[in-house]
Amino acid sequence: MDYDEVMERFDVVLGLEVHVELSTKSKMWCGCSTAFGAAPNTHTCPVCLGLPGSLPVVNRKAVESAIRIGLSLGCSIAESCRFARKQYFYPDMPKNYQVSQYDEPIAYEGEVTLDVDGQTYTVPIERAHMEEDAGKSMHMGGATGRIQGSDYSLMDYNRAGVPLIEIVTKPIFGTGTRGPEVARAYMAHLRDMVRALDASEARMEQGQLRCDANVSLMPKGSTELGTRTETKNVNSLRSVEGSLRYEICRQAAVLAGGGRVKQETRMWNEAGEFTTAGRSKEEAEDYRYFPEPDLVPVAPSREWVEQLRATLPELPAAKAARLQSEWGFSDLEMRDVHGNEGALDLIEATVTAGSAPASARKWWLGELSRRANENGVDLAEVGVTPAQVAEVQALVSAGTLNDRLARTVLEAVASGEGEPADVVDERGLAIVSDDGALGMAVQAAIDANPGVADKIRGGKVQAVGALIGAVMKQMHGKADASKVRELLLEELS
């Protein structure tokens, strides 16, 4: 069904379960490394493989991160909470159960306020609880890497036991037509928040931040919640928005056709931009939770909680509002900054290094963003530091470079040719302002374009641009354009 028609006939209710992989050095219950990218099954031990007789020990740093995340979400922190065994039987969990938190989460009852294109939305938080991650299934022999069409599957248990925080919202009402966009903004908020806390790198392409996106529809005027579906493990901002938009339209078509939505998990097909059915959705009783007998309750003292509260940094939303005011950026300009992951911190660092905010924004969102996209890397990995961008801008402000030459310098710096000043010296890129050299080029341009010169002599001063271009071409873009204009008008006056 067309999305606009859906919005006329139904109200959307969202629910988001976000898994954040914590950046601790060791796993949740053992000393195995959490480093990403190691050879399969090399970061394992009897504890994370669930071998008989092994006993878990809680990672204190993970508990600390959980408390700081809970505080940043506006949650209350439990005075005592415990772990539970969540029974399920999948090959990615070698113990055949997951240690999680059920009825006693470490953080509960919070909220997040979002600004989406000037409109405010509140996302209510039900809980944030600690648990361990599962291993990774790799489906072999097929064309897509998915289980459909594969010949067999292999398991990598390096990720099994890595600390996770799961942040669960209450049902989110009242988003209107903007529901998928609100979900995307919420994910971006959490990503920026946990990075600011230094709790997680939140690299979605590595599964460090992923979302189970729940959605249901209610006919307009109804107060009864519809049957929900849950699209599992969505791992990009674009996919969170796209999967919800697709699922909203799919459910509406089912309901409009007289059918019933099945409560199930679904998988997002990134290439085709559609969801496919997974399995019937379990309820809490299906997991047969019971208290984890090998772990004592966690009881953070109020003193410790307050000590952790004192370590909280300025959160991204407050920081962005402050910097926008200080820099004088419009809402549209700031929206472009937010649309480029990591751009805000890079622009701030460039300003700190001496650049004007507008200039820093121009370079990071223009030339450097283009290079990052071409190379398929994050903006921070483009090969140029904020200090180097500030140095290039200082050379532009001093008249040593123009924007065209500055782009050449940035390209050379990113390619490893050295610092900006060194590149300028070695390539001879400094702008030529010498009257003698420019005078010769000016005269050559006049001689080569007598018709244009006559127009300028006749009073059509705007025609001087053509001669400036001719001079710049002769000088390979290294002439001082304002000086060239001055000399041309002086010669032809």
Side-chain angles (χ1 to χ4, degrees):
M1 183 181 292
D2 179 75
Y3 189 78
D4 290 337
E5 184 181 351
V6 176
M7 293 298 104
E8 292 175 2
R9 298 178 59 175
F10 297 95
D11 288 322
V12 173
V13 182
L14 303 178
L16 304 171
E17 302 170 22
V18 178
H19 294 82
V20 181
E21 195 174 277
L22 300 179
S23 55
T24 55
K25 292 183 178 180
S26 58
K27 292 186 179 180
M28 190 69 191
W29 321 116
C30 65
C32 289
S33 171
T34 59
F36 180 81
N41 298 308
T42 55
H43 292 172
T44 57
C45 73
V47 174
C48 52
L49 291 176
L51 299 185
S54 60
L55 291 174
V57 178
V58 176
N59 185 324
R60 177 185 171 92
K61 182 67 174 179
V63 176
E64 178 182 296
S65 293
I67 293 172
R68 296 175 79 238
I69 288 172
L71 292 171
S72 298
L73 294 168
C75 290
S76 299
I77 305 301
E79 295 191 8
S80 178
C81 61
R82 59 182 177 176
F83 292 98
R85 289 190 181 181
K86 180 181 181 181
Q87 316 289 326
Y88 69 93
F89 305 95
Y90 286 92
D92 60 5
M93 186 59 71
K95 295 183 293 223
N96 279 336
Y97 63 84
Q98 180 188 34
V99 179
S100 181
Q101 291 188 306
Y102 173 45
D103 55 342
E104 297 184 21
I106 192 166
Y108 58 92
E109 295 293 336
E111 66 178 31
V112 168
T113 301
L114 304 170
D115 183 285
V116 180
D117 291 340
Q119 188 167 348
T120 300
Y121 298 88
T122 298
V123 176
I125 305 298
E126 179 180 299
R127 57 193 281 145
H129 64 261
M130 298 178 285
E131 61 184 25
E132 60 181 337
D133 209 345
K136 181 180 180 182
S137 303
M138 294 173 288
H139 307 296
M140 314 303 291
T144 64
R146 297 181 178 274
I147 193 168
Q148 296 87 352
S150 63
D151 297 326
Y152 59 95
S153 297
L154 297 175
M155 294 304 308
D156 178 7
Y157 291 116
N158 282 346
R159 199 174 67 184
V162 168
L164 283 182
I165 300 299
E166 182 174 355
I167 303 168
V168 182
T169 70
K170 296 179 181 181
I172 306 168
F173 299 92
T175 57
T177 63
R178 308 299 292 276
E181 296 168 72
V182 171
R184 177 175 181 152
Y186 172 72
M187 287 296 293
H189 174 90
L190 293 186
R191 178 199 64 195
D192 295 343
M193 183 191 80
V194 297
R195 286 179 177 174
L197 293 170
D198 199 25
S200 174
E201 294 179 3
R203 297 180 68 93
M204 298 187 76
E205 74 280 3
Q206 293 182 8
Q208 295 172 351
L209 180 70
R210 53 192 191 267
C211 178
D212 296 342
N214 294 261
V215 64
S216 65
L217 301 182
M218 298 190 304
K220 290 287 187 181
S222 173
T223 58
E224 184 178 350
L225 289 173
T227 302
R228 64 187 171 91
T229 61
E230 178 182 15
T231 304
K232 299 286 288 184
N233 293 324
V234 187
N235 65 349
S236 76
L237 300 183
R238 177 178 175 273
S239 295
V240 168
E241 181 178 354
S243 63
L244 284 171
R245 186 175 291 270
Y246 175 86
E247 194 59 18
I248 287 168
C249 294
R250 186 194 69 83
Q251 288 188 21
V254 171
L255 295 173
R260 296 177 60 186
V261 174
K262 293 171 60 177
Q263 184 166 321
E264 62 187 359
T265 64
R266 298 185 68 84
M267 305 303 294
W268 174 241
N269 186 302
E270 188 81 46
E273 298 191 339
F274 58 84
T275 64
T276 54
R279 65 180 190 270
S280 298
K281 176 60 181 168
E282 298 91 342
E283 299 291 354
E285 56 267 22
D286 296 319
Y287 291 121
R288 303 188 312 285
Y289 285 97
F290 68 86
E292 168 57 65
D294 293 333
L295 290 167
V296 298
V298 174
S301 69
R302 297 303 90 182
E303 292 77 14
W304 187 32
V305 171
E306 292 310 310
Q307 287 172 7
L308 293 176
R309 191 191 302 275
T311 69
L312 298 181
E314 182 182 28
L315 292 179
K319 178 180 178 179
R322 173 178 61 81
L323 291 177
Q324 180 177 359
S325 176
E326 290 178 3
W327 295 343
F329 285 2
S330 68
D331 290 343
L332 182 59
E333 289 171 331
M334 204 64 184
R335 191 183 313 160
D336 290 340
V337 173
H338 286 310
N340 286 263
E341 184 177 343
L344 183 66
D345 290 338
L346 292 168
I347 293 171
E348 182 187 23
T350 305
V351 172
T352 300
S355 173
S359 299
R361 177 184 176 277
K362 176 186 70 176
W363 292 121
W364 285 110
L365 299 191
E367 180 65 19
L368 296 173
S369 180
R370 179 194 61 77
R371 181 178 174 86
N373 290 334
E374 287 179 354
N375 295 321
V377 298
D378 291 339
L379 198 55
E381 299 170 344
V382 76
V384 181
T385 67
Q388 289 168 332
V389 174
E391 183 180 348
V392 169
Q393 180 55 43
L395 292 170
V396 173
S397 299
T400 304
L401 299 174
N402 55 30
D403 279 3
R404 177 180 173 276
L405 294 172
R407 285 191 290 271
T408 301
V409 173
L410 287 172
E411 185 76 22
V413 171
S415 298
E417 293 187 28
E419 295 299 314
D422 298 332
V423 171
V424 171
D425 289 342
E426 294 203 12
R427 288 203 183 188
L429 295 176
I431 285 176
V432 177
S433 299
D434 176 67
D435 283 1
L438 292 180
M440 293 173 59
V442 162
Q443 190 58 55
I446 291 172
D447 293 343
N449 298 274
V452 177
D454 287 342
K455 288 181 181 179
I456 298 170
R457 291 190 185 98
K460 294 186 177 180
V461 177
Q462 62 270 27
V464 75
L467 293 185
I468 293 174
V471 173
M472 296 298 286
K473 185 175 181 180
Q474 286 184 66
M475 304 290 291
H476 304 290
K478 294 190 289 184
D480 183 336
S482 61
K483 187 71 173 176
V484 169
R485 176 186 174 86
E486 180 183 322
L487 291 173
L488 281 165
L489 293 179
E490 181 180 326
E491 184 69 25
L492 298 172
S493 63

